[in-house]
Amino acid sequence: MINEETTSSSPSPEPQQNPDDEQKSKPSKHYTLLLIINYLFLFVGSLSSTLISKFYFVHRGSSRWVSTWVQSAGFPLLILPIYLPFFLFKSTRRRPFSGFTTALFLSSTVVGVFIGVNNFLFSWGTSYLPVSTSSLLLSSQLIFNLILSVIIVKQKITFTNLNCVMLLTLSSVLLALSSSHDKPDGSTRREYWIGFFSTLGAGLLFALYLPVMETIYRKVSCYAMVMEIQLIVEIAATVFATVGMAADGGFRDLRVESTAVFDKGPAAYWLTIVGNIVLWQFSFLGTAGMVFLTTSLTGGICMTALLAANVIGGVVVYGDEFGGVKVVSTVLCVWGFCSYLYGMYAENRKQNRRNESSVAMNQIVVNGSS
């Protein structure tokens, strides 16, 4: 199982280890490098995609289906890292999609449709809410993530993760209590609350997505399969969004918005669309990698902590209000994440001491018997 291999602190080396499997071992260089790369993907993708999605709506883009479609339409970008290592670089012996069962394909497809719905709700929220508000609201997914992780993947509740979840959830509650004073210019109270609850719905769905994906990743053997699953998920999400666009005239909106509606001109419009397509892939692949390499709860906590950067980005780029409540909410968000990191650090130190004691005892036994 993936978690047992990725979280083991003292894996015993095996002869003739497959290079593709080595990345799952926490002490390995492959593991550390993949973890850093995926967190960078998550950081860049989360911050940039949120800001550029808001840019689309700020400058008179109005199609929620277009905004939904671009979140998954970049799936062809995943084809290169999936196929080039085997067919061109000859850097792996594993053929793409080998070991990919029918059950894995079907579960990935269902999750893809699920993500398509999540993307649609996110688009509604982004169209009506300031970036800083939607980012803080999305942090509410963490408490749902903890509960669902306990139910689905039997996540152990500790003081560290419970304290972090409570602080981040309190951050969202404080924001909700002051939300009526944060409507963007030109938006009605009704539109604001539609965006508010759409964003909460997106957070809840994503909280379910994370432990479900952790369960699926327990059936895969290497990071390459994570990218393959992500490709299927994104294709299914794109099909969902494409059907919605076709039914709602979204493809016509692309043409009309680019020439007659978007106030920055056609070139800026298409750059915005392409930027959305590329940057959302960074965000989703980073999320998938973090869940595979750690746990769904750790992935959710890392994502929620990055929302503080989104809040600051919204203030800097779009001039969102940053009053006292948002300051307190952001501080709680950062505080919760830092407390979780410290808890992980302290637990790892304890585990290392136990491992060192175990090795020492084994060495004493071996010396005594010889």
Side-chain angles (χ1 to χ4, degrees):
M1 293 174 64
I2 296 300
N3 269 357
E4 293 172 351
E5 294 176 2
T6 57
T7 58
S8 172
S9 300
S10 58
S12 57
E14 297 180 2
Q16 298 178 343
Q17 184 181 22
N18 189 323
D20 286 331
D21 291 335
E22 183 185 352
Q23 60 197 259
K24 299 187 295 183
S25 175
K26 183 172 284 189
S28 74
K29 294 180 180 179
H30 285 166
Y31 174 90
T32 303
L33 179 61
L34 277 175
L35 194 62
I36 293 173
I37 290 174
N38 278 274
Y39 196 75
L40 287 175
F41 279 173
L42 183 58
F43 178 82
V44 173
S46 175
L47 177 60
S48 303
S49 59
T50 301
L51 293 176
I52 200 170
S53 293
K54 187 63 180 178
F55 182 85
Y56 168 78
F57 288 110
V58 165
H59 294 287
R60 300 182 63 189
S62 60
S63 174
R64 280 92 185 169
W65 280 115
V66 170
S67 180
T68 302
W69 184 77
V70 297
Q71 292 180 53
S72 57
F75 68 84
L77 296 173
L78 296 174
I79 294 175
L80 295 179
I82 288 175
Y83 283 95
L84 289 184
F86 179 81
F87 289 102
L88 182 62
F89 302 137
K90 309 296 184 183
S91 58
T92 179
R93 297 191 299 270
R94 180 184 173 276
R95 181 178 291 273
F97 288 95
S98 61
F100 210 88
T101 64
T102 302
L104 195 55
F105 174 81
L106 291 176
S107 58
S108 301
T109 302
V110 171
V111 169
V113 176
F114 180 85
I115 283 296
V117 176
N118 177 83
N119 293 345
F120 183 64
L121 290 174
F122 177 84
S123 296
W124 272 90
T126 303
S127 66
Y128 287 138
L129 296 180
V131 170
S132 54
T133 301
S134 63
S135 296
L136 287 170
L137 281 175
L138 285 171
S139 67
S140 65
Q141 60 90 15
L142 198 55
I143 191 166
F144 299 120
N145 185 4
L146 176 61
I147 294 170
L148 294 170
S149 293
V150 170
I151 295 172
I152 297 174
V153 297
K154 311 304 179 186
Q155 172 71 46
K156 181 181 178 182
I157 296 180
T158 64
F159 174 78
T160 299
N161 57 36
L162 184 60
N163 175 65
C164 177
V165 168
M166 295 306 295
L167 286 172
L168 293 175
T169 303
L170 179 59
S171 168
S172 297
V173 171
L174 286 175
L175 181 68
L177 292 175
S178 67
S179 59
S180 60
H181 306 290
D182 198 27
K183 296 196 303 291
D185 294 338
S187 123
T188 66
R189 188 176 184 83
R190 176 177 174 273
E191 290 173 339
Y192 181 87
W193 287 110
I194 289 174
F196 189 94
F197 287 110
S198 294
T199 304
L200 283 179
L204 176 58
L205 287 179
F206 206 77
L208 177 59
Y209 161 79
L210 293 174
V212 167
M213 290 309 296
E214 181 178 349
T215 302
I216 293 175
Y217 291 153
R218 289 177 173 181
K219 303 173 184 177
V220 307
S221 59
C222 59
Y223 185 79
M225 291 189 74
V226 173
M227 290 191 291
E228 292 161 4
I229 290 172
Q230 191 61 28
L231 178 63
I232 302 301
V233 167
E234 296 295 326
I235 289 174
T238 304
V239 170
F240 172 85
T242 301
V243 171
M245 283 186 69
D248 197 44
F251 291 103
R252 182 184 66 252
D253 291 343
L254 277 172
R255 184 179 65 256
V256 173
E257 284 185 343
S258 66
T259 57
V261 177
F262 200 71
D263 60 16
K264 291 294 184 179
Y269 180 83
W270 290 112
L271 282 175
T272 302
I273 295 298
V274 172
N276 263 297
I277 289 173
V278 173
L279 291 170
W280 275 109
Q281 290 306 303
F282 278 90
S283 181
F284 281 121
L285 184 59
T287 301
M290 290 297 295
V291 174
F292 171 73
L293 295 168
T294 58
T295 65
S296 56
L297 182 60
T298 299
I301 287 173
C302 290
M303 288 183 61
T304 303
L306 288 178
L307 293 176
N310 290 351
V311 172
I312 296 172
V315 173
V316 173
V317 177
Y318 297 116
D320 291 353
E321 293 183 8
F322 198 60
V325 174
K326 281 189 180 177
V327 171
V328 173
S329 295
T330 303
V331 170
L332 287 174
C333 189
V334 175
W335 180 13
F337 182 61
C338 290
S339 69
Y340 184 75
L341 288 182
Y342 178 79
M344 290 180 63
Y345 168 76
E347 182 61 31
N348 285 337
R349 287 194 62 181
K350 290 180 182 178
Q351 185 64 42
N352 288 337
R353 291 195 191 101
R354 287 194 291 266
N355 292 339
E356 290 171 0
S357 298
S358 177
V359 170
M361 289 297 296
N362 290 337
Q363 189 63 42
I364 292 173
V365 170
V366 170
N367 294 336
S369 61
S370 61

